[in-house]
Amino acid sequence: MANELNELTDAANPAGRDVHVIEKQLPVQIGFGSVLFEIALWVLGILPGLIFLFMKVGARNYFRKLQQKLQTDASQIDNYLEQRVRILQNVTPLVERAIDLDKDVMKAVAAYRGGGHPDDAARNAVSGQLDRTFGRLFPQVEAYPELKAHAAIADAMRQNSYLQKEITAARSLYNDTINMWNSDIYDWPTKMIVAARAGYTTRIPFAASAEVKEQARSIFF
């Protein structure tokens, strides 16, 4: 039997294709067949009905634990983002005293000092704002070798690089848990029935901003 998808003979797209995360949550829905299935279990006897009832209790507890894991994974990302904010707050005054910083950088830092975040408090938006701010700050530092040699600034640049890697790893873990949730809520019969009755929906994974995607396509060297 031939392969349904053949990379040697089937049509391909030479231009490639960009992908995007769809910003949409899908509710879990069950039909009459699921209701009939539950009724049939009780008709067959009290034991099958009770067994399935306990299975549903277990599924409900599983989803509650999974939601707590999602919270933990998201909190880890927030912790790393907070550390990046502190680095930005600490290093900017040092740089500001030596060079005339971009006004946009100073506005962003002022917003963080005030305890808020510009425009949107959503996690993705905060992360994107930090990336843009650091992206404007460090190139200005690079232009001044004597400033780059400053111990505190050099340490801040190393810490920022480390935190970027940790944030990437934390986002991957978060997305793995999101994928687990999105798969399990459609696991029929037990989990899907419980998810539908609880009003659960799919969850949206982390998505890179359009600006970050554009930077990734640019020429680095």
Side-chain angles (χ1 to χ4, degrees), residues 91-182:
V91 76
T92 302
L94 298 174
V95 179
E96 184 184 11
R97 284 196 291 267
I99 61 176
D100 185 18
L101 276 181
D102 188 309
K103 290 182 179 179
D104 289 336
V105 173
M106 297 312 302
K107 287 179 182 178
V109 174
Y112 290 122
R113 283 174 180 163
H117 298 290
D119 302 324
D120 192 352
R123 187 173 294 106
N124 283 1
V126 172
S127 179
Q129 181 70 20
L130 279 170
D131 288 338
R132 288 189 292 273
T133 304
F134 274 107
R136 288 192 295 266
L137 175 63
F138 283 154
Q140 295 182 62
V141 173
E142 294 281 354
Y144 293 81
E146 69 282 2
L147 193 59
K148 187 180 177 182
H150 191 293
I153 295 175
D155 184 58
M157 294 176 73
R158 284 192 296 270
Q159 288 183 53
N160 180 60
S161 178
Y162 165 77
L163 287 172
Q164 283 180 300
K165 295 175 183 177
E166 291 298 314
I167 289 172
T168 298
R171 285 170 178 166
S172 296
L173 181 61
Y174 176 77
N175 279 354
D176 286 343
T177 309
I178 288 287
N179 182 57
M180 190 184 305
W181 172 275
N182 289 344

Side-chain angles (χ1 to χ4, degrees), residues 6 39 56 71 85 89-90 93 119 130 146 150 168 188 191 195 203:
N6 192 318
I39 294 174
K56 288 194 294 183
Q71 287 291 93
V85 169
Q89 291 174 337
N90 291 336
D119 302 324
L130 279 170
E146 69 282 2
H150 191 293
T168 298
W188 193 88
K191 291 178 181 176
R203 294 172 183 263

Side-chain angles (χ1 to χ4, degrees), residues 24-25 67 70 178 181-182 185 200-205:
K24 184 178 182 180
Q25 292 179 304
Q67 288 186 88
L70 279 168
I178 288 287
W181 172 275
N182 289 344
I185 59 175
Y200 291 153
T201 68
T202 57
R203 294 172 183 263
I204 302 170

